[in-house]
């Protein structure tokens, strides 16, 4: 983790790293002022528009443009005071006596203060030496005690790196490395300073143009600087730095990793993870995305290892002591966070796609699990080359499975690193396992264009990388691997993004970030899933392949450069033939947090549409004026296609459903009659709406219930149609939503009530009718695994009995009997509830080399109700002795799903917070997951206060994280839901 050093403050020196004061955390400080707006749509498509609204009519072809603001609220602030009354029973001195006394006291006190506070030199003949007040009061103090010549977290733009020559020698016995870097820099503007990044390094020597120079370091900002007596003129110079460092024992920078092979031998390796801010931990550099440069890398290693980097190896040189040095070719121009290198005992297989050699590497024990990844990567690379009309620019592409790796994968240019779970596929892996691996490969390959070829200028626009790669992963797989049913998975992802973005603690897609913790926090559902969702919506709005044409234009124009969101919108606008400003439309989705709720009110043939910022808790919003440019679509009982320009509503139309196929990033609320007509239609025939539209209705009404706009009874009315539902998308969404409520009730010791609610909604017969045999359809596997996992968690007898039977057969046969992979987690969870079964699973976990099997085994181990086992697994997953520390967030999540362990997990997180943040950076996705897993099911005032107090006490070690505000807001929402619905549920059920 990155910690700011704390300095003892001295007179007249501003310490820019000083901790800000702590204060109680409350996500509801701001006051919500609702604004409403509407577009009136009359029958037969006749729109009545105000003059102001007409300005928007020509800017898009779909119904429902930016609505005009209709109201505003004002707040009045009043204050009062009460004059304190004194007793007059005591004698008072005269006014004159009082004034004289006060003057004498002030004079004496002033003289004492002057003598006390003025330095002694004031009263000497020479007087005091004058200080450089500007320097002392502005610049932070470096480790040497000298003023550091830079005052900002972002580096100065006056010096730019042109080329790096990097030489590294990792010692995998001592877990240290030696390094040297030679940086060719371009001075763009005359300056007396060169400032760059460096973290946790022992710098032994620095030369500039061959002359040794003094280096200053300011550790809180991970910056070093070289000061010059005279201005450096414009031109190119060479900076050389020699240093040593420890291989990191966390998951960023140049870090050490280990694993035990099938012979019981411990193997070690060194790998890198630089995104977002950790290249500076491997070599001094200008570690910001906009400082793109070329890199030449040399790695010294023992003979038993291989080394890999971004570019192909050009030569190997024998050195003394049995060492070898590998030199790699000069890289393309790229950002520092994309640099990568590995020293390990890996083996690989390769294939050629066009002019690119594609290879997949893994540990030798798992060499038979790499073929699927190789075939998949080759097919997707061909697809992207064609789709983008811009061939992958490197001559090689390596995909490497690393045994100990925190992120799912990392898109380093030419050397993509993965968790073993997200790259390797065993012989018994199911289509669902392949769906995960294919998704991650597709995502990282899309980054080779979006992120690597064209890179966001700063982390505020991270969504340009992650949102686009997420969108392309679903779009590409739907085209290349249609059997993997990614369409349904993408729908679930959009629902997930809506849930997070409905919180007041959410943030705009593009938002201001500066500190390392803020940068880490950008890696969340908003940047990934919401970013992908609004791109889907835009693609659905544009026609004739305009989206693809605009993307091609964007990549060709800005290749090897840095961009901002506006550059993408400009490229799309240039190719669009529609009377639509892409920039104006999309800025309403990227610069405001949240999304709109569209309310539909119908009177005869007249439909009134209004929009407002949808918030689960709108009472204390911090943003009340957002209006979105919404491309509305709809279906009705006489028309099954989206609207194109006007809303035609004949008299015979019975029902109307907006947001066709849920392509738009918004939810819809209907008046009482509108909901009734839709529910009646579904009860009569579920096929009147597509499965996506049915899933969206379920998602929307649960969200509306949480926000208080509909009652939970209305939710149950809609869910009555579920008994006739057979499709995966609506059923899994219903199970997900019910599961959320089930766990809330369970944590309140209301297991029986939760069971009755679930079984009463999703009928027991549907669960019991599921097959336990091998299945090939991804859709069918997804549905039955969700249903059977729910059934076994509800202790439905037939489910548990069948699961135990399958486990016994599998174990007795020494795993030659095959459990369907999609049911393995459910079967293992049932087995883990006995001491004997748990012990068997632990032994399987320790010795398995199939990573999908191992991960499902770990989830099962963490589902135990035995408190001693829960504490043991918490300890072992954090210290990494039996369970890899990378799995700690998964362990917390699995334990917190069950009543037995969730409070123990929360206590463990609090007691071990310092250790946790040494392993995982503050603000990182891992920390976000740990916090939400541990707290998201609290629903009492006691737990709320406890959570607030704990995070407030952390100071700079986590109190200001956005995820903390999200956690507190979620607890308050849970409390409100319980207050409104618990008694009603107890009466109804």
């Amino acid at each position: 983790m990155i910690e700011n050093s704390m300095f003892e403050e001295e007179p007249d020196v501003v310490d820019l790293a000083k901790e800000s004061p702590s204060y109680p955390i409350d996500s509801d400080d701001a006051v919500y002022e609702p604004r409403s707006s509407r577009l009136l749509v009359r029958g037969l498509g006749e729109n009545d528009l105000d003059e102001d609204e007409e300005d928007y009519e020509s800017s898009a072809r779909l119904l429902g443009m930016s609505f005009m603001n209709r109201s505003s609220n004002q707040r009045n602030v009043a204050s009062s005071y009460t004059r304190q009354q004194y007793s007059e029973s005591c004698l008072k001195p005269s006014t004159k006596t009082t004034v004289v006394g006060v003057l004498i006291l002030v004079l004496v006190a002033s003289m004492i203060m002057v003598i006390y506070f003025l330095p002694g030199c004031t009263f000497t003949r020479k007087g005091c030496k004058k200080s450089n007040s500007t320097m002392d009061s502005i610049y932070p103090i470096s480790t040497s005690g000298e003023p550091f010549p830079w005052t900002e977290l972002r580096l100065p733009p006056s010096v730019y790196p042109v080329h790096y020559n990097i030489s590294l020698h990792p010692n995998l016995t001592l877990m240290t490395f030696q390094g040297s870097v030679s940086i060719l820099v371009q001075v763009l503007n005359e300056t007396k300073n060169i400032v760059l990044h460096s973290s946790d390094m022992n710098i032994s020597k620095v030369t500039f143009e061959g002359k040794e120079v003094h280096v200053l370091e300011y550790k809180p900002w991970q910056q070093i600087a070289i000061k010059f007596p005279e201005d450096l003129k414009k031109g190119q110079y060479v900076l050389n730095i020699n240093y040593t460092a420890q291989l990191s024992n966390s998951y960023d920078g140049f870090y050490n990793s280990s694993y035990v092979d099938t012979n019981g031998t411990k193997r070690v390796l060194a790998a890198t993870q630089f995104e977002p801010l950790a290249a500076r931990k491997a070599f001094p550099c200008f570690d910001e995305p906009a400082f793109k440069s070329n890199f030449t890398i040399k790695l010294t290693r023992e003979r038993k290892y291989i080394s890999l980097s971004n570019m192909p190896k050009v030569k190997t040189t024998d050195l003394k002591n049995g060492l070898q040095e590998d030199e790699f070719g000069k890289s393309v121009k790229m950002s520092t966070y994309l640099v990568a290198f590995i020293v390990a005992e890996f083996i690989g297989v390769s294939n050629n796609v066009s002019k690119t050699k594609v290879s997949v590497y893994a540990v030798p024990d798992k060499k038979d699990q790499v073929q699927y990844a190789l075939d998949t990567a080759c097919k997707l690379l061909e697809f992207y080359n064609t789709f983008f009309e811009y061939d992958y620019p490197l001559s090689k592409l390596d995909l490497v499975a690393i045994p100990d790796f925190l992120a799912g994968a990392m898109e380093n240019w030419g050397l993509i690193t993965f968790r073993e779970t997200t790259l390797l596929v065993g012989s018994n892996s199911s289509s669902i396992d392949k769906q995960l691996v294919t998704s991650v490969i597709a995502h990282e390959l899309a980054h080779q264009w979006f992120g690597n070829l064209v890179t966001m200028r700063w982390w505020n626009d991270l969504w340009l990388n992650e949102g686009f790669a997420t969108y392309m992963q679903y779009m590409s797989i739907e085209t290349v691997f249609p059997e993997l049913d990614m369409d349904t998975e993408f729908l679930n992802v959009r629902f997930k993004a809506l849930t997070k973005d409905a919180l007041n603690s959410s943030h705009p897609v593009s938002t201001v970030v500066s500190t390392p913790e803020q940068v880490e926090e950008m890696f969340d559902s908003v940047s990934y899933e919401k970013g992908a969702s609004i791109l889907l919506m835009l693609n659905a709005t544009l026609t004739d392949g305009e989206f693809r044409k605009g993307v091609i234009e964007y990549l060709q124009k800005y290749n090897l450069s840095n961009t901002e969101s506006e550059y993408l919108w400009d490229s799309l606008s240039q190719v669009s033939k529609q009377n639509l400003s892409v920039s104006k439309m999309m800025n309403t989705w990227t610069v405001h947090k949240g999304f709109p709720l569209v309310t539909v009110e119908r009177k005869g043939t007249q439909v009134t549409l209004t929009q407002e910022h949808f918030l689960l808790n709108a009472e204390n919003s911090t943003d009340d004026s957002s209006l979105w440019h919404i491309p509305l679509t709809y279906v009705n009982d006489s028309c099954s296609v989206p609207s194109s320009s006007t809303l035609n509503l004949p008299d015979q139309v019975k029902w109307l459903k907006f947001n066709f196929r849920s392509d738009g990033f918004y939810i819809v609320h209907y008046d009482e009659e509108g909901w009734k007509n839709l529910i009646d239609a579904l009860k009569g025939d579920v096929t009147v709406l597509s499965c996506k539209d049915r899933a969206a209705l379920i998602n929307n009404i649960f969200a509306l219930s949480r926000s208080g706009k509909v009652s939970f009874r209305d939710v149950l009315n809609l869910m009555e149609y579920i008994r006739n539902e057979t499709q995966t998308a609506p059923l899994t969404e219903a199970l997900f939503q019910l599961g959320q409520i089930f766990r809330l009730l369970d944590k309140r010791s209301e297991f029986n009530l939760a069971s009755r609610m679930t079984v009463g909604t999703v009928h027991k017969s549907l669960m019991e009718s599921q097959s336990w045999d091998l299945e090939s359809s991804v859709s069918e596997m997804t549905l039955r695994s969700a249903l059977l996992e729910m059934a076994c968690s509800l202790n439905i007898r037939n489910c548990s009995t069948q699961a135990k039977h399958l486990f016994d057969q599998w174990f007795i046969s020494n795993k030659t009997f095959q459990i369907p992979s999609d049911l393995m987690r459910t079967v293992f969870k049932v087995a883990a509830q006995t001491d004997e079964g748990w012990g068997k699973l632990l032994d399987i976990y320790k010795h398995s080399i199939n990573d999908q099997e191992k991960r499902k085994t770990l989830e099962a181990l963490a589902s135990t109700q035995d408190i001693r086992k829960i504490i043991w697994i918490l300890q072992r997953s954090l210290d990494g002795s039996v369970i890899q520390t990378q799995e700690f967030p998964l362990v917390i999540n699995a334990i917190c799903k069950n009543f037995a362990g969730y409070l123990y997990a929360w206590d463990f997180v609090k007691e071990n917070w310092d250790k946790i943040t040494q392993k995982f950076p503050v603000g990182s996705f891992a920390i976000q997951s740990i916090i939400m897993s541990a707290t998201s099911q609290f629903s009492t005032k006691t737990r709320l206060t406890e959570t607030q107090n704990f995070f407030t006490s952390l100071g700079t070690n986590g109190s200001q994280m956005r995820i903390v505000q999200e956690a507190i807001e979620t607890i308050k929402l849970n409390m409100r839901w319980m207050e409104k619905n618990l008694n009603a549920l107890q009466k109804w059920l």
Side-chain angles (χ1 to χ4, degrees):
M1 86 178 249
I2 300 169
E3 289 188 16
N4 285 352
S5 301
M6 303 303 298
F7 294 87
E8 186 173 338
E9 190 172 349
E10 299 178 6
D12 300 324
V13 176
V14 177
D15 186 346
L16 300 182
K18 190 167 181 64
E19 178 183 1
S20 58
S22 300
Y23 54 87
I25 299 172
D26 195 325
S27 62
D28 297 335
D29 288 340
V31 177
Y32 176 64
E33 299 180 11
R35 292 176 182 261
S36 63
S37 50
R38 70 179 187 175
L39 171 69
L40 183 64
V41 183
R42 297 192 183 278
L44 301 178
E46 297 176 0
N47 298 352
D48 278 2
L49 302 177
D50 292 346
E51 290 181 3
D52 291 340
E53 290 169 336
E54 289 174 355
D55 294 339
Y56 288 83
E57 186 179 21
S58 61
S59 65
R61 56 182 294 278
L62 293 185
L63 174 66
M65 303 302 92
S66 297
F67 301 131
M68 302 307 297
N69 185 25
R70 293 297 189 200
S71 66
S72 63
N73 292 335
Q74 297 179 343
R75 288 176 290 177
N76 295 320
V77 180
S79 63
S80 60
Y81 68 92
T82 302
R83 181 170 296 172
Q84 189 172 355
Q85 301 296 322
Y86 294 96
S87 170
E88 297 182 359
S89 60
C90 298
L91 294 175
K92 298 180 181 179
S94 67
T95 303
K96 181 177 179 180
T97 302
T98 302
V99 171
V100 171
V102 169
L103 286 174
I104 292 172
L105 285 173
V106 169
L107 182 61
V108 172
S110 299
M111 292 177 66
I112 293 173
M113 290 175 67
V114 168
I115 294 170
Y116 182 79
F117 284 105
L118 282 178
C121 59
T122 304
F123 305 100
T124 66
R125 185 170 297 176
K126 292 183 178 180
C128 296
K129 181 180 178 181
K130 293 183 179 179
S131 65
N132 186 336
S133 59
T134 302
M135 179 70 76
D136 289 347
S137 62
I138 294 178
Y139 291 101
I141 302 302
S142 65
T143 54
S144 65
E146 303 171 63
F148 191 80
W150 186 243
T151 61
E152 298 181 23
L153 281 165
R154 298 279 295 274
L155 296 181
S158 54
V159 180
Y160 196 95
V162 177
H163 184 267
Y164 293 81
N165 275 301
I166 303 168
S167 296
L168 296 166
H169 177 198
N171 186 320
L172 296 183
T173 302
L174 300 177
M175 295 303 168
T176 61
F177 67 97
Q178 295 178 326
S180 66
V181 59
S182 177
I183 311 175
L184 177 65
V185 297
Q186 179 79 41
V187 175
L188 303 176
N189 299 297
E190 293 185 0
T191 178
K192 289 184 178 180
N193 308 301
I194 295 179
V195 183
L196 62 160
H197 290 109
S198 174
S199 178
D200 300 328
M201 292 179 184
N202 299 311
I203 295 176
S204 56
K205 185 178 181 180
V206 180
T207 64
F208 184 77
E209 289 292 289
K211 297 180 180 180
E212 190 163 355
V213 293
H214 177 57
V215 65
L216 300 174
E217 182 176 16
Y218 188 55
K219 288 186 177 181
W221 293 348
Q222 301 175 341
Q223 293 175 358
I224 59 174
I226 298 98
K227 296 168 64 175
F228 301 94
E230 303 293 337
D231 280 342
L232 292 175
K233 303 300 181 184
K234 294 180 181 180
Q236 292 190 346
Y237 303 85
V238 177
L239 173 66
N240 292 299
I241 304 174
N242 296 332
Y243 59 96
T244 60
Q246 296 285 327
L247 287 169
S248 171
N249 57 10
S250 61
Y251 292 100
D252 60 357
F254 194 15
Y255 73 94
N256 72 78
S257 177
S258 64
Y259 63 97
V260 178
D261 65 18
T262 52
N263 296 321
T265 303
K266 182 179 179 179
R267 305 286 182 178
V268 295
L269 62 98
T272 59
Q273 170 60 38
F274 290 161
E275 189 179 33
L277 306 171
R280 64 194 69 175
K281 295 185 176 183
F283 57 97
C285 56
F286 297 80
D287 199 11
E288 295 180 6
F291 287 110
K292 286 194 171 187
S293 184
N294 302 109
F295 299 82
T296 300
I297 294 172
K298 296 178 182 179
L299 294 170
T300 299
R301 57 174 173 81
E302 297 178 42
R303 290 179 180 272
K304 66 179 180 179
Y305 298 111
I306 67 167
S307 69
L308 301 168
S309 189
N310 304 85
M311 303 302 292
K313 184 169 60 177
V314 294
K315 70 175 182 179
T316 298
T317 304
D318 290 329
L319 306 176
K320 60 182 180 180
N321 299 326
L323 300 175
Q324 292 182 315
E325 181 185 71
D326 295 330
E327 181 176 346
F328 299 88
K330 180 181 177 181
S331 77
V332 288
K333 190 178 179 183
M334 63 184 183
S335 302
T336 49
Y337 78 87
L338 295 171
V339 176
F341 29 85
I342 297 170
V343 177
E345 297 177 84
F346 287 165
I347 61 172
V349 297
S350 303
N351 202 348
N352 290 311
V353 175
S354 185
K355 300 177 182 179
T356 303
K357 180 182 179 181
V358 182
S359 304
V360 180
Y361 290 87
V363 300
D365 290 336
K366 300 175 182 179
K367 61 184 179 181
D368 60 339
Q369 299 180 38
V370 301
Q371 191 61 45
Y372 179 81
L374 180 63
D375 295 340
T376 299
C378 290
K379 291 177 182 178
L380 288 168
L381 186 62
E382 287 182 309
F383 171 82
Y384 286 136
N385 281 341
T386 301
F387 183 87
F388 293 130
E389 293 186 5
Y390 193 112
D391 284 354
Y392 174 76
L394 276 60
S395 61
K396 69 100 172 172
L397 174 63
D398 297 337
L399 294 80
V400 185
I402 298 179
D404 201 15
F405 190 73
L406 181 60
M410 176 60 207
E411 67 268 18
N412 316 299
W413 213 347
L415 183 61
I416 307 175
T417 47
F418 296 78
R419 273 195 182 200
E420 290 181 322
T421 309
T422 59
L423 188 66
L424 304 181
V425 174
S427 58
N428 293 330
S429 297
S430 69
S431 296
I432 288 184
D433 298 325
K434 293 176 180 177
Q435 183 192 66
L436 170 64
V437 170
T438 307
S439 292
V440 179
I441 293 174
H443 183 98
E444 303 309 324
L445 260 63
H447 270 311
Q448 306 303 299
W449 285 264
F450 267 85
N452 298 9
L453 184 68
V454 180
T455 312
M456 78 269 147
R457 189 181 304 281
W458 180 244
W459 300 106
N460 63 301
D461 275 327
L462 175 67
W463 85 275
L464 281 176
N465 284 20
E466 299 300 348
F468 212 100
T470 303
Y471 175 64
M472 289 304 302
Q473 87 184 52
Y474 293 109
M475 192 270 282
S476 64
I477 296 174
E478 193 65 27
T479 303
V480 182
F481 302 96
E483 70 278 7
L484 293 181
D485 192 33
M486 290 303 292
D487 213 22
T488 300
E489 180 63 21
F490 194 13
L491 181 67
N492 294 334
V493 160
R494 302 201 293 278
F495 291 158
K496 175 184 175 183
L498 286 167
T499 300
K500 182 179 177 71
D501 210 29
L503 296 173
N504 195 37
S505 52
S506 184
H507 63 90
V509 170
S510 181
T511 191
V512 176
V513 295
S514 56
T515 68
E517 293 77 17
Q518 290 171 342
V519 171
E520 291 279 1
E521 285 191 299
M522 288 300 290
F523 292 80
D524 67 359
S525 180
V526 173
S527 295
Y528 285 72
E529 284 88 9
K530 182 180 179 179
S533 300
I534 63 175
L535 289 172
L536 169 70
M537 181 173 64
L538 177 59
N539 193 6
T541 304
L542 300 174
T543 59
D544 302 324
E546 291 174 343
F547 181 81
R548 181 189 173 197
K549 293 174 185 176
V551 167
I552 292 170
E553 160 73 17
Y554 173 80
L555 291 173
Q556 291 177 343
K557 185 174 182 180
Y558 299 109
N559 72 87
L560 301 178
S561 300
N562 296 87
T563 65
E564 300 171 358
S565 298
E566 204 64 33
Y567 296 15
L568 176 61
W569 307 146
D570 289 345
S571 293
L572 288 163
S573 294
Q574 288 175 17
V575 301
S576 177
K577 297 178 181 178
Q578 302 181 59
N579 187 16
L580 168 67
S581 170
V582 174
S583 179
K584 286 184 178 179
M585 172 183 169
M586 296 308 295
N587 279 339
T588 66
W589 297 94
T590 58
V591 301
H592 301 302
K593 72 178 180 183
F595 59 88
L597 167 67
V598 174
T599 301
V600 181
E601 295 181 348
R602 177 181 172 184
K603 293 182 179 179
T605 60
Q606 178 178 293
V607 175
T608 302
L609 304 174
T610 62
Q611 70 155 294
E612 62 184 283
H613 183 184
F614 179 75
L615 286 165
L616 291 174
N617 182 9
E619 295 175 359
N620 294 282
S621 170
T622 58
D623 184 3
D624 60 1
S625 59
S626 301
L627 293 175
W628 288 264
H629 189 130
I630 310 172
L632 285 174
T633 56
Y634 77 99
V635 290
N636 58 49
D637 55 337
S638 64
C639 174
S640 59
V641 296
S643 61
S644 57
S645 58
T646 59
L647 177 61
N648 296 310
L649 197 60
D651 291 336
Q652 66 269 25
V653 170
K654 296 179 181 178
W655 55 262
L656 194 65
K657 196 273 176 187
F658 276 82
N659 198 4
F660 180 65
R661 294 170 52 88
S662 201
D663 284 346
F665 195 73
Y666 59 95
I667 67 173
V668 185
H669 182 30
Y670 304 89
D671 57 22
E672 184 176 350
E673 190 68 19
W675 277 113
K676 180 180 181 303
N677 291 336
L678 283 167
I679 293 171
D680 289 345
L682 288 174
K683 288 179 179 178
D685 180 8
V686 297
T687 63
V688 296
L689 290 175
S690 71
C691 62
K692 285 186 179 181
D693 285 309
R694 302 198 299 272
L697 284 178
I698 294 169
N699 172 272
N700 287 187
I701 203 166
F702 270 96
L704 291 166
S705 172
R706 287 194 73 197
S707 71
K709 291 186 178 295
V710 301
S711 70
F712 195 67
R713 185 71 212 179
D714 294 325
V715 174
L716 297 178
N717 287 341
L718 173 64
M719 297 301 288
E720 288 177 5
Y721 104 89
I722 284 289
R723 68 188 64 185
N724 300 320
E725 184 60 80
T726 60
Q727 293 300 304
T728 299
L731 278 170
T732 52
E733 178 61 19
L735 287 170
F736 173 79
Q737 296 291 348
L738 290 169
Q740 300 276 82
I741 297 172
F742 177 94
R743 283 187 284 275
L744 277 181
L745 293 171
D746 185 33
K747 302 305 185 296
R748 286 285 196 94
S749 301
E750 293 282 358
F751 177 82
N752 290 333
L753 176 63
S755 299
R756 293 198 303 273
M757 177 198 69
T758 306
V759 175
T761 305
V762 181
H763 281 217
K764 185 177 178 181
S765 59
L766 181 61
M767 301 180 190
E768 293 177 335
S769 66
Q770 298 303 305
S771 166
W772 293 79
D773 299 327
L774 293 174
E775 176 62 65
S776 59
S777 165
V778 171
S779 179
E780 292 295 327
M781 283 189 285
T782 302
L783 176 58
R784 77 165 179 181
S785 64
L787 285 167
L788 290 176
E789 187 165 357
M790 176 66 79
C792 286
S793 69
L794 294 174
N795 298 323
I796 294 177
R797 187 181 62 180
N798 291 347
C799 181
S800 300
T801 302
Q802 184 64 29
K804 290 176 182 177
H805 177 66
L806 283 177
F807 180 78
D808 290 340
Q809 283 185 287
W810 178 75
F811 189 81
I812 292 171
S813 71
N814 196 26
K815 302 200 292 187
T816 57
F817 174 82
Q818 189 175 347
I819 299 174
S821 181
D822 58 299
L823 299 180
M824 191 172 282
R825 182 173 63 181
T826 297
V827 170
F828 286 178
K829 281 185 175 181
V830 172
Q833 303 314 309
T834 66
D835 287 343
E836 181 185 4
W838 197 90
K840 290 176 179 178
L841 286 167
L842 179 60
D843 188 64
I844 290 166
Y845 177 82
K846 290 178 180 179
H847 297 98
S848 176
I849 62 170
N850 182 301
D851 290 286
Q852 283 89 7
E853 175 187 284
K854 196 166 186 172
R855 191 170 176 86
K856 293 165 187 172
T857 304
L858 180 58
E859 289 186 80
L861 290 169
S863 72
T864 179
Q865 307 299 300
D866 188 316
I867 302 304
R868 290 172 300 175
K869 292 184 175 71
I870 289 171
I871 294 173
W872 181 88
I873 202 171
L874 285 166
Q875 293 171 337
R876 298 293 82 79
S877 60
L878 183 58
D879 66 30
S881 57
V882 178
I883 301 164
Q884 290 175 318
T885 304
Q886 67 178 18
E887 303 293 3
F888 181 72
L890 174 69
V891 168
I892 292 290
N893 181 268
I895 290 174
C896 289
K897 287 180 179 178
N898 300 299
F899 180 81
Y902 82 108
L903 291 180
Y904 287 94
W906 170 232
D907 286 342
F908 188 84
V909 168
K910 290 185 294 180
E911 292 166 6
N912 294 274
W913 184 256
D914 288 342
K915 293 180 181 178
I916 292 170
T917 51
Q918 288 170 11
K919 299 287 186 180
F920 311 107
V922 172
S924 66
F925 187 81
I927 290 293
Q928 295 177 46
S929 174
I930 290 166
I931 291 174
M932 289 308 295
S933 295
T935 64
S936 63
Q937 294 162 67
F938 292 162
S939 61
T940 65
K941 179 67 176 177
T942 299
R943 296 298 171 204
L944 172 64
T945 302
E946 183 181 327
T947 304
Q948 288 174 316
N949 291 342
F950 170 69
F951 286 112
T952 298
S953 71
L954 296 179
T956 57
N957 200 22
S959 66
Q960 303 306 309
M961 288 187 292
R962 186 188 299 117
I963 196 67
V964 172
Q965 306 298 331
E966 182 178 330
I968 290 168
E969 186 177 358
T970 300
I971 297 171
K972 291 180 179 180
L973 287 167
N974 294 342
M975 292 169 58
R976 188 179 71 176
W977 193 93
M978 282 293 183
E979 290 168 2
K980 286 188 175 183
N981 296 297
L982 181 57
N983 292 335
L985 266 178
Q986 290 169 335
K987 292 178 181 178
W988 291 336
L989 302 174

